Amino acid sequence: MSKRLAQWGARPTRILAREILPNALPLIITNITLKLGSVILVEAGLEFLGLGDASRISWGYMLHNGQHFMRYAWWMVLFPTLAITLLIFALNLVGDEMNRALSPKLQAQHFQ
C-alpha cells in the first residue's frame, strides 16, 4: 500500500481489530462450541464401535462394554449416555451465552 492511500484511511490491522473481529467473534465462538459437540459424538461413536484405543477410558468405550449387560445393569449404559448428553448441552449453552455477551448487535439492542 502506498503512503498516499495510507494517509486517507485506517490501517488494515485497525480495521480488522475494530470492525471485523467484534462482529465475527460471536459466530466463531458459536461455531467452535457446535463443532466440539460433534467431535465428542464422533469420538464416542468410534469408541463404541471398537475402533478406538482400548487402553484409554472414554464414554464410548463404557457404552461398548455396558451394552452386553443392558438387561441386568442398565446404569452401565445410562450414566455415560447422560454424561455425553449433558456435556454437549452445556457446551451449546456456553456458546449461546458467549454469543449473546459478545454480539455488538445484541448489546446495542440491550442498551436502547
Side-chain angles (χ1 to χ4, degrees), residues 1-8:
M1 180 165 27
S2 69
K3 289 183 180 181
R4 183 174 180 198
L5 290 176
Q7 62 181 299
W8 292 107

Side-chain angles (χ1 to χ4, degrees), residues 22-23 25-26 29 97-107:
N23 289 314
L25 194 60
I29 290 173
E97 289 302 317
M98 290 182 72
N99 185 12
R100 286 188 192 121
L102 296 175
S103 179
K105 293 177 185 175
L106 293 175
Q107 287 177 356

Side-chain angles (χ1 to χ4, degrees), residues 6 11-12 16 18 25-26 31-32 40 44 70 76-77 83 95-96 98 104 108:
R11 293 182 185 220
L16 181 66
R18 294 187 47 99
L25 194 60
N31 198 7
I32 287 173
I40 291 168
M70 198 179 325
M76 290 181 72
V77 176
D96 287 342
M98 290 182 72

